[in-house]
């Protein structure tokens, strides 16, 4: 039985696409007899014709992947895109290092482990890139008898 006209009218009335129009398979005879907009409207009110719900896009998979990434998974060599310093630029790495060094120097000075002159010397060295980490800076200070 050809119900294209009824489907088209129903889609127009319900303001949905043709694929979202549902016709009750048990009432196909009644639907085929409806040839006017009024007839189709009555069938919609009776429940013989309905609009199917919209299909949504599930975010389940993306949430699951994000959760795994937060655990540190799915981050292997095959997942890495971009150059070496595209993910964490050199400047950010430098800022992270220098801030840690300067904070450590201040703590050492406030705790009277080093005096102001030594503090200034180590500060300038850190700025010049002499130390790659806090442990290297402390090792240098110990080896050169700068710590009290």
């Amino acid at each position: 039985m050809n119900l294209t006209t009824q489907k088209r009218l129903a889609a127009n009335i319900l303001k949905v696409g043709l694929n979202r129009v549902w016709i009750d398979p048990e009432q196909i005879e009644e639907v085929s007899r409806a040839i006017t907009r009024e007839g189709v409207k009555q069938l919609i009110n009776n429940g013989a014709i309905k609009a199917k719900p919209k299909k949504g896009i599930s975010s389940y998979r993306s949430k699951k992947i994000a959760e795994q990434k937060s655990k540190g998974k799915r981050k292997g060599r095959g997942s890495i895109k971009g150059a070496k310093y595209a993910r964490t630029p050199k400047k950010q790495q430098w800022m992270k290092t220098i801030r840690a060094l300067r904070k450590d120097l201040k703590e050492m000075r406030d705790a009277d482990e080093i005096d102001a002159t030594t503090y200034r010397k180590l500060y300038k060295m850190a700025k010049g890139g002499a130390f790659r980490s806090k442990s290297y800076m402390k090792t240098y200070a110990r080896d050169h008898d700068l710590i009290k």
Side-chain angles (χ1 to χ4, degrees), residues 4 29-30 36 41 44 51 54 72 76 98 110 118-119 122 143:
T4 51
E29 291 288 330
E30 282 181 56
T36 62
K41 277 182 185 176
I44 289 168
K54 271 187 178 177
I98 197 69
D110 293 342
T118 311
Y119 167 80
L122 292 174
D143 292 348

Side-chain angles (χ1 to χ4, degrees), residues 33-114:
R33 276 187 247 125
I35 51 171
T36 62
R37 287 177 76 87
E38 287 302 315
V40 174
K41 277 182 185 176
Q42 278 184 335
L43 288 167
I44 289 168
N45 290 338
N46 295 344
I49 299 174
K50 291 179 185 174
K52 289 181 190 171
K54 271 187 178 177
K55 280 185 185 169
I57 298 167
S58 172
S59 59
Y60 170 78
R61 287 180 303 281
S62 61
K63 282 179 187 171
K64 192 175 179 183
I65 289 169
E67 188 187 336
Q68 286 182 324
K69 282 191 175 180
S70 72
K71 290 180 195 171
K73 299 187 177 195
R74 302 177 78 107
K75 290 186 174 185
R77 298 303 306 166
S79 305
I80 292 176
K81 289 184 178 178
K84 185 180 180 182
Y85 297 109
R87 288 158 77 91
T88 50
K90 283 184 176 179
K91 183 167 183 177
Q92 272 186 340
Q93 287 177 344
W94 168 253
M95 281 163 38
K96 194 177 173 185
T97 309
I98 197 69
R99 284 173 181 172
L101 291 172
R102 286 174 177 169
K103 188 179 175 187
D104 200 42
L105 277 170
K106 280 177 194 148
E107 285 171 5
M108 286 165 70
R109 183 189 59 190
D110 293 342
D112 282 332
E113 289 178 39
I114 55 173

Side-chain angles (χ1 to χ4, degrees), residues 99-140:
R99 284 173 181 172
L101 291 172
R102 286 174 177 169
K103 188 179 175 187
D104 200 42
L105 277 170
K106 280 177 194 148
E107 285 171 5
M108 286 165 70
R109 183 189 59 190
D110 293 342
D112 282 332
E113 289 178 39
I114 55 173
D115 58 338
T117 316
T118 311
Y119 167 80
R120 188 51 51 197
K121 182 187 175 189
L122 292 174
Y123 190 97
K124 292 282 187 187
M125 286 179 77
K127 185 180 179 176
F131 314 118
R132 55 177 148 174
S133 66
K134 292 194 319 188
S135 60
Y136 268 81
M137 185 174 67
K138 286 200 172 169
T139 306
Y140 176 87

